[in-house]
Amino acid sequence: MRDVIRSLLDLQEVDRDLHRVLEELKRLPAERAARQGEVNRLAAAVAEKKLAAKNVRVRIKEFEDVATAGRQRMRKLENDMSQARADAQLHAFFDHQIKTLKKEVSTAEDDGLKLLEQVELLDRDAADLQSKHDAELKVFEAFAANVALEVAAAEAKRAQLAAERAKRMKGDIAPEVLSDYERLLRSRGGVALAQLDGRQCQACFMDMPTNMTVRVARGSELVRCPSCDRILYTLQ
Ligand SMILES: [Zn+2]
């Protein structure tokens, strides 16, 4: 079993670094995606404000059209009224129509003005969000360029470590031991073995019962730390 421990320790030297590199290769794209998400959210917020402003402008145009049409009809009625000067009843009819129209035009103008304030507010919000987005995008682009460099470096490191690992893999470790070891690497932050110093596990610092330290020292079987589950070894 001592030979297996030695082989595992040999692998562990590489696997600790390999685990770190693999974690890095997971973390970097995840971080980039999160930041990209932030930028996208801002872009969506800008688009939303712009769309809202556009819709309000459509309504403003509708009120303007109502006011324009009303003014045109008023002019025509004023003209008709001036020609109907003799007919008092008709005159009164036109006068009433014109007054009604005047009110309609005035209401449409007021409503349009209120919406104009609204659209100015939306335009300002959109511009603020846009400049925030542009600044964020700039930061993100610099970050993403950096991430690309870091990923490339990590990939190179990973290839180098994988080659080194393959060299150290001598085939003297039983498959079930190797798969236990690799599972521990993943669940224990890349460190599957722990040195037993005296009675203490040097990974989790728990004290072992004496019979366990004896079994580890004997080296005839693989002993796992009851606390952190790592494979225990002693330096001899
Ligand atoms: Zn432990």
Side-chain angles (χ1 to χ4, degrees):
M1 223 21 100
R2 284 190 209 288
D3 290 344
V4 172
I5 291 280
R6 213 162 295 134
S7 295
L8 286 175
L9 279 169
D10 211 26
L11 275 185
Q12 173 70 85
E13 259 180 22
V14 177
D15 282 337
R16 187 195 308 252
D17 292 341
L18 190 56
H19 180 82
R20 214 170 287 152
V21 168
L22 291 175
E23 288 293 303
E24 191 85 336
L25 283 170
K26 259 189 271 175
R27 182 185 62 81
L28 289 168
E31 217 170 301
R32 179 178 48 203
R35 294 223 189 178
Q36 173 84 71
E38 288 294 319
V39 175
N40 290 352
R41 263 190 290 282
L42 277 171
V46 171
E48 199 183 313
K49 290 284 177 193
K50 282 185 174 168
L51 179 65
K54 189 182 158 201
N55 288 337
V56 174
R57 283 202 167 81
V58 168
R59 290 179 60 209
I60 290 173
K61 175 79 172 59
E62 282 165 7
F63 283 126
E64 280 171 356
D65 288 348
V66 167
T68 303
R71 274 191 295 269
Q72 277 166 1
R73 280 196 60 212
M74 265 167 63
R75 271 195 296 278
K76 188 179 177 301
L77 285 172
E78 276 160 4
N79 191 40
D80 290 349
M81 188 168 74
S82 69
Q83 281 167 17
R85 222 178 281 270
D87 188 335
Q89 212 179 338
L90 198 57
H91 194 273
F93 169 75
F94 282 132
D95 192 47
H96 176 73
Q97 291 267 302
I98 287 167
K99 275 186 183 132
T100 305
L101 268 174
K102 211 177 223 165
K103 240 180 257 166
E104 276 175 25
V105 166
S106 165
T107 303
E109 280 171 347
D110 286 351
D111 289 346
L113 275 177
K114 265 180 229 149
L115 288 182
L116 212 57
E117 283 168 28
Q118 206 176 313
V119 93
E120 276 165 11
L121 218 65
L122 285 167
D123 281 346
R124 211 175 310 145
D125 285 352
D128 285 351
L129 282 168
Q130 182 74 60
S131 56
K132 207 167 157 193
H133 167 270
D134 293 349
E136 283 288 318
L137 183 63
K138 225 176 194 175
V139 171
F140 170 74
E141 279 167 353
F143 174 80
N146 213 34
V147 163
L149 290 177
E150 283 180 59
V151 166
E155 289 286 7
K157 185 84 186 154
R158 183 174 70 131
Q160 183 202 329
L161 288 168
E164 179 59 31
R165 187 180 207 269
K167 235 190 281 172
R168 291 180 182 216
M169 191 74 86
K170 295 190 192 81
D172 59 347
I173 306 166
E176 64 273 15
V177 172
L178 191 62
S179 73
D180 270 355
Y181 161 81
E182 284 172 348
R183 188 180 50 75
L184 280 168
L185 280 181
R186 287 191 294 275
S187 64
R188 292 291 178 270
V191 182
L193 288 100
Q195 190 198 329
L196 191 65
D197 188 8
R199 290 180 54 195
Q200 199 181 50
C201 168
Q202 293 305 292
C204 69
F205 302 106
M206 278 287 285
D207 280 338
M208 301 297 123
T210 314
N211 73 325
M212 197 168 259
T213 65
V214 171
R215 281 164 58 208
V216 176
R218 208 185 294 141
S220 55
E221 59 182 318
L222 286 183
V223 182
R224 308 271 285 264
C225 171
S227 166
C228 71
D229 208 29
R230 291 185 176 89
I231 300 161
L232 293 166
Y233 68 94
T234 48
L235 292 180
Q236 350 240 337

